[in-house]
Amino acid sequence: GEGSLVLIRELPITHADNPFGQAPIEDTTGLGIWCASLVMARWLASPPMVRRMEGKTVLELGAGCGIPALACAAYSNPKSVTITDLNPETIDNIRFNIELNERRQQRDDGGAEDDATTATKTTTVTTASSIDWGDEATYPSNTLDYVICSDCIYQKDIVPLLKKVVTGLLHPDRGMFLYVAPEGGRDGLPEFIAAMKAEGFECAREEIAPDAYRENPLRSGDEEDCFLHFHELASTVYVLYEFRRVSR
């Protein structure tokens, strides 16, 4: 609900000189918080999206610390939220962040037993899972209403993999893909949009994120800390994308 707090632990990115590693499973960039994920989290916490996520199944790809998915679980009332990445250390940190927020929610609920509004919020099933985009055997067995992702396209050769996993995970009729990325400067994004259109999707939304989505996300409100951790947030323009299947 209004004013929900999402707690996140980030960790030092190992092998900072080459965080992507030699193989996808070695990619440790997800141990840190990336600004696009903060914009996605604010988008999912906006009232129109909160209403849309009600009772839906949601999965985040390349989730890193898991902020967007955890914001979805905290603000809305989805049926389930699955937070995925590949690197084992990143998955462990996602599990930590899920437990961190579940404990906070339990404390809040315990202190608000007399609040009639708490009875309307059912517990969203939130889990962490490892997905190898190229290996369908690692995909969940059920297709999903929403797949979300933030700033995962940074080179053209990732486009076929992302298209494969997104189209493989989404429900064949009602599934939607939400994506946030900085405006320009990301190799492969035009190719991804074209590839999705070739798969029967339309880009139903492509709009600049509101300024409010780029505001200081820290509970303390400390502007120096915000600049230190998220210096790109205020100075970068982010774009919200929504892909949906064309009616057949």
Side-chain angles (χ1 to χ4, degrees):
E2 182 71 17
S4 293
L5 181 69
V6 177
L7 304 178
I8 295 293
R9 178 183 75 172
E10 66 172 342
L11 297 171
I13 295 175
T14 55
H15 315 298
D17 55 333
N18 182 26
F20 294 103
Q22 299 302 310
I25 199 169
E26 299 173 3
D27 186 341
T28 61
T29 57
L31 295 174
I33 296 172
W34 294 82
C35 292
S37 70
L38 297 170
V39 175
M40 173 66 87
R42 286 250 174 74
W43 185 18
L44 294 174
S46 67
M49 296 305 291
V50 166
R51 290 190 292 270
R52 286 176 59 180
M53 295 293 157
E54 180 81 21
K56 298 296 192 289
T57 54
V58 182
L59 182 144
E60 183 173 8
L61 289 171
C65 296
I67 296 177
L70 288 167
C72 180
Y75 278 79
S76 188
N77 198 15
K79 180 179 179 181
S80 67
V81 171
T82 307
I83 313 178
T84 75
D85 214 296
L86 185 58
N87 176 265
E89 196 175 355
T90 302
I91 294 292
D92 285 345
N93 193 46
I94 290 172
R95 291 195 176 103
F96 179 93
N97 284 330
I98 290 173
E99 293 173 7
L100 189 65
N101 285 276
E102 286 178 345
R103 290 198 299 270
R104 178 199 56 77
Q105 185 63 51
Q106 288 166 1
R107 289 197 303 270
D108 290 352
D109 290 347
E113 290 177 353
D114 296 330
D115 186 349
T117 61
T118 60
T120 64
K121 179 81 164 75
T122 58
T123 301
T124 296
V125 177
T126 306
T127 55
S129 179
S130 177
I131 286 186
D132 180 339
W133 294 3
D135 183 2
E136 295 177 21
T138 66
Y139 296 5
S141 56
N142 296 321
T143 54
L144 299 134
D145 297 314
Y146 285 92
V147 172
I148 63 175
C149 187
S150 307
D151 200 14
C152 286
I153 304 168
Y154 42 85
Q155 54 195 34
K156 292 177 183 176
D157 61 9
I158 207 168
V159 168
L161 270 181
L162 183 57
K163 182 196 73 170
K164 172 186 173 72
V165 68
V166 168
T167 57
L169 291 174
L170 284 175
H171 188 278
D173 296 317
R174 63 177 183 268
M176 297 187 185
F177 178 57
L178 306 179
Y179 187 71
V180 170
E183 184 180 47
R186 287 293 187 265
D187 193 31
L189 185 56
E191 289 79 4
F192 176 73
I193 293 173
M196 289 294 283
K197 287 180 179 177
E199 285 289 325
F201 284 79
E202 64 175 338
C203 186
R205 177 194 301 235
E206 181 178 348
E207 62 186 48
I208 302 298
D211 290 346
Y213 293 5
R214 299 186 292 115
E215 292 177 355
N216 187 339
L218 299 177
R219 185 184 189 184
S220 67
D222 190 299
E223 293 298 338
E224 289 187 8
D225 274 355
C226 180
F227 183 78
L228 179 65
H229 290 282
F230 313 120
H231 61 90
E232 296 178 358
L233 187 59
S235 60
T236 303
V237 175
Y238 293 90
V239 183
L240 315 177
Y241 296 91
E242 179 178 337
F243 296 87
R244 64 179 67 181
R245 294 188 188 275
V246 177
S247 300
R248 290 176 285 183

